[in-house]
Amino acid sequence: MKHSLSLQIGPVAFRIGSAWRSPIEALARLYAGYPDPGRVCDFTVRLEPEKPWRRWIRPSVAIQGDYILPDAAPMSLAHGLLAAEMGMNLQMALGQKSHLLLHAASVEKDGRALILTGESGAGKSTLAALLGERGWRLMGDEFALLGLEDGRLRAFPRAISLKNGAITVMEREVAPQRFGPRLDGTPKGAIRHMRPNERALEAMAEPAQPALVLFPRFGEAAAARGVGQAEVFMRLTQASTNYVSLGAAGFEALTGLVGGCPAAAIDYPDTESAIDMVEQLWAEAA
Amino acid sequence: MSAAHALIAALRDPARAGDGDWNGLIAAARAEQLIGSLAYRLEGRDLPEKVEAIMEAARRDSAQARIQALWEAEMTRRALAPLGVPLVLLKGNAFHAAGLDAAIGRSVGDLDILVPKASLEAVEAALIGAGWERLKEADGYDDLYYRRWMHELPPLIHRTRDRMIDVHHTILPETARPKPDAAALIADSVALDPGSPPGAGSGLRILSPPDMIVHAAAHLFADGDLAGGLRNLWDIDRLVRQFVAADPAFWPALAERAQHHQLRRSVALSLRLAARLYGTPVDRQAAGPDRVTDRLFAARLLARNGWGQPVRPALRLAFYIRSHWLRMPPLLLARHLWAKARS
């Protein structure tokens, strides 16, 4: 394709091709400092005109690649960076078969990993982003990769996707050069991507042993409750995109995770109290 | 060398894989749904670490897809067993259930089965009773079109397993000019479990070897627009090699069946193209003389670049139009396009 770029994110290498220059340039700026992926990539993503003439006239970006959703809506070129991110997510959700993929954020301390999972809007991205600036190593804000053989967690520290209110929270905390452009009017409202810090990038190849699973929920009075293994298992099967297609290997990996670490659900009214609750539960789990 | 050329070269001769561009080869193999087949062809070779990891994941994925396909066939067998009708697995499911070479790394999407036309209603009712649901709106244009003109029921999807089933009563649309002998396909089908009593119809069956080739050729050249055809042609290559090795009388048997089902030309074309692209050893008499249009078919099959993109839009459009022309007489085609344009 006319414009292209390769990216290494944790154990996964992407090749992204685009009919337009601007999404590739935006990606290159956002992912400055990531390691060189080498010659062979795991997945190919393509940003193409939805129809041939939509390259020039009201440019419309169709997300294509090795694995696609046939009915994915095309996006405006102004949101080309988001289209590239969605294209990479799609490859992971549909094509990742080397790890059990959990829709979860994760952070690491002392070689042990904290997994944060919940529905969209539960605040896992924001919490992980904040923890990543406050003494933890960010492993990823979107996907956690559980090893099928060793049960350890691999980092997938792509750019953090901050939405709406979370954008201002992080803008107060982090230097401006780590942010991508602010994208208004996306299907999920305003989005701004943030590059993880140097520590997260340097250690991206280091796995961690899962030690605690949390199910955060934003917008409620502060409360924490333990969650039984059966419920944790069920919720994590729902949070996994490839649990079914991995068959027995996925089951073994997930039961290993559930049996090996405690879990709790936390409700929180604001991010600062959530951070306190996380630190306290982490200390109890240690 | 284009990525599609690199793909067929690697399938023919795994030693040649990756002498160019691994990314292009992998993207083309995924786009053509041949990544599993390629991964098994490359098994045990000395590959770059990353390539080996990708191929290993593809093999693991194929193995799991195979289990799911076999389970789906078994669920269908159980749902239809009370009817006592013969149940013939088609395409990928048949290859897997019979353990044919063509099954190695073969992806499987929908479950395709063939049943006698007279039992269609009973089969559909039994499937719906066992948890399958209609995908097309009942009595809508598509639903009625399928029932009146097609060789299969409108697709059904299972409520909890989320898998589709296509129930065929023959192997080409009723509107196509060749009229395959569906009764003969079923009469000559082979029981997968020879222990089950003959004629009981409660076990799974597959087409006879010659009919399997006839069906693959019909599906590729007398029905569709050749999109994804490299995989179907790879099926033909694998099947022919295995059948020829097992039965010295395979070629005359194939010639007889191709003639009987009015699909001699499609079979001959598929043999010529398999020989041209995959080096399949074919009987020159069955394949017939090369024709100038063979090159167009080959070019259509190979219209894929190293980003996994389809290329040569004009050629693809021509084959798309050809597929409708083959499937429908002109008046029906006009009515069909009119209805589709209005919807």
Side-chain angles (χ1 to χ4, degrees), chain A residues 112-131:
Chain A
R112 298 160 71 238
L114 162 65
I115 298 172
L116 299 155
T117 183
E119 285 162 20
S120 266
K124 58 184 166 29
S125 272
T126 319
L127 277 182
L130 271 176
L131 290 166

Side-chain angles (χ1 to χ4, degrees), chain A residues 147-210:
Chain A
L148 296 176
E149 258 101 57
D150 62 6
R152 296 205 292 172
L153 210 65
R154 265 70 179 171
F156 187 69
R158 47 154 242 175
I160 301 159
S161 168
L162 302 167
K163 292 173 202 90
N164 303 315
I167 298 174
T168 31
V169 172
M170 294 314 295
E171 282 171 344
R172 285 199 293 269
E173 197 103 2
V174 170
Q177 54 270 30
R178 278 175 51 203
F179 287 91
R182 184 186 165 98
L183 307 172
D184 284 301
T186 80
K188 290 189 170 174
I191 288 183
R192 193 163 189 195
H193 293 96
M194 184 187 105
R195 179 167 63 240
N197 58 22
E198 273 177 29
R199 184 162 161 224
L201 301 192
E202 277 163 14
M204 70 161 69
E206 287 170 25
Q209 191 62 40

Side-chain angles (χ1 to χ4, degrees), chain A:
Chain A
M1 297 195 72
K2 212 160 173 200
H3 308 279
S4 69
L5 172 79
S6 296
L7 282 179
Q8 179 80 37
I9 303 176
V12 186
F14 296 93
R15 178 175 65 141
I16 301 129
S18 169
W20 303 271
R21 184 191 304 274
S22 60
I24 298 296
E25 283 179 347
L27 273 178
R29 273 195 300 276
L30 183 59
Y31 283 91
Y34 275 63
D36 173 23
R39 279 183 53 233
V40 184
C41 293
D42 295 86
F43 298 112
T44 292
V45 174
R46 308 192 313 257
L47 305 181
E48 298 178 347
E50 179 209 357
K51 298 267 191 283
W53 58 88
R54 298 293 290 269
R55 180 189 299 255
W56 299 283
I57 303 166
R58 290 190 297 124
S60 171
V61 186
I63 303 170
Q64 291 286 348
D66 289 338
Y67 301 92
I68 56 160
L69 287 179
D71 46 3
M75 306 179 70
S76 80
L77 185 54
H79 296 159
L81 178 63
L82 182 60
E85 288 286 334
M86 288 170 69
M88 289 190 277
N89 284 351
L90 214 49
Q91 304 316 305
M92 294 297 284
L94 301 176
Q96 173 57 251
K97 300 294 165 73
S98 299
H99 306 88
L100 181 73
L101 187 143
L102 298 171
H103 187 217
S106 54
V107 290
E108 175 264 350
K109 204 183 249 185
D110 306 325
R112 298 160 71 238
L114 162 65
I115 298 172
L116 299 155
T117 183
E119 285 162 20
S120 266
K124 58 184 166 29
S125 272
T126 319
L127 277 182
L130 271 176
L131 290 166
E133 302 302 320
R134 298 186 184 179
W136 297 70
R137 178 201 14 147
L138 178 90
M139 295 184 76
D141 80 313
E142 180 84 16
F143 293 133
L145 303 172
L146 189 64
L148 296 176
E149 258 101 57
D150 62 6
R152 296 205 292 172
L153 210 65
R154 265 70 179 171
F156 187 69
R158 47 154 242 175
I160 301 159
S161 168
L162 302 167
K163 292 173 202 90
N164 303 315
I167 298 174
T168 31
V169 172
M170 294 314 295
E171 282 171 344
R172 285 199 293 269
E173 197 103 2
V174 170
Q177 54 270 30
R178 278 175 51 203
F179 287 91
R182 184 186 165 98
L183 307 172
D184 284 301
T186 80
K188 290 189 170 174
I191 288 183
R192 193 163 189 195
H193 293 96
M194 184 187 105
R195 179 167 63 240
N197 58 22
E198 273 177 29
R199 184 162 161 224
L201 301 192
E202 277 163 14
M204 70 161 69
E206 287 170 25
Q209 191 62 40
L212 177 63
V213 177
L214 293 180
F215 299 96
R217 191 168 59 167
F218 171 68
E220 310 277 333
R225 66 171 177 94
V227 182
Q229 289 191 355
E231 186 183 339
V232 177
F233 181 83
M234 287 309 295
R235 289 173 80 155
L236 290 179
T237 59
Q238 286 160 4
S240 172
T241 56
N242 64 0
Y243 170 72
V244 171
S245 66
L246 288 174
F251 177 81
E252 306 272 334
L254 193 54
T255 47
L257 171 70
V258 173
C261 47
I266 54 172
D267 294 346
Y268 64 96
D270 55 73
T271 42
E272 292 304 325
S273 52
I275 299 276
D276 292 344
M277 291 168 83
V278 167
E279 294 285 4
Q280 192 190 335
L281 287 164
W282 181 257
E284 285 168 15

Side-chain angles (χ1 to χ4, degrees), chain B residues 44-247:
Chain B
R45 301 200 75 83
D46 189 20
L47 303 174
E49 193 182 345
K50 187 80 182 176
V51 177
E52 177 54 28
I54 291 169
M55 295 302 155
E56 170 65 26
R59 285 190 292 267
R60 210 172 30 230
D61 197 29
S62 288
Q64 187 59 30
R66 173 186 159 79
I67 293 172
Q68 280 191 330
L70 294 177
W71 181 244
E72 202 58 26
E74 172 60 15
M75 288 293 97
T76 306
R77 187 196 67 76
R78 291 184 196 177
L80 300 183
L83 302 181
V85 299
L87 168 54
V88 183
L89 298 175
L90 299 174
K91 301 187 223 170
N93 283 281
F95 309 157
H96 279 292
L100 297 175
D101 292 348
I104 299 172
R106 170 66 149 79
S107 63
V108 192
D110 308 344
L111 173 63
D112 295 289
I113 62 169
L114 175 71
V115 298
K117 191 171 185 185
S119 60
L120 270 185
E121 253 178 68
V123 166
E124 186 175 24
L127 290 174
I128 287 171
W132 277 266
E133 291 173 340
R134 289 201 177 94
L135 204 62
K136 305 275 182 195
E137 176 197 349
D139 298 333
Y141 176 80
D142 286 353
D143 185 77
L144 293 176
Y145 187 90
Y146 265 97
R147 288 172 197 282
R148 174 137 184 224
W149 299 116
M150 288 297 278
H151 51 312
E152 59 192 327
L153 289 175
L156 299 168
I157 189 161
H158 195 272
R159 195 184 304 142
T160 52
R161 293 194 307 276
D162 206 30
R163 304 277 290 191
M164 295 239 281
I165 186 168
D166 290 326
V167 181
H168 299 65
H169 57 84
T170 183
I171 55 173
L172 277 183
E174 306 243 52
T175 50
R177 273 157 286 247
K179 307 286 179 220
D181 182 349
L185 291 170
I186 292 171
D188 287 1
S189 65
V190 183
L192 279 174
D193 175 14
S196 66
S202 57
L204 294 170
R205 309 179 71 83
I206 58 172
L207 294 176
S208 72
D211 281 348
M212 217 179 259
I213 301 291
V214 170
H215 179 218
H219 183 61
L220 185 51
F221 292 116
D223 190 9
D225 66 357
L226 274 76
L230 280 184
R231 186 193 66 174
N232 298 26
L233 199 65
W234 180 246
D235 289 343
I236 291 172
D237 172 83
R238 297 289 99 180
L239 294 172
V240 164
R241 286 175 194 266
Q242 188 169 16
F243 294 157
V244 168
D247 178 8

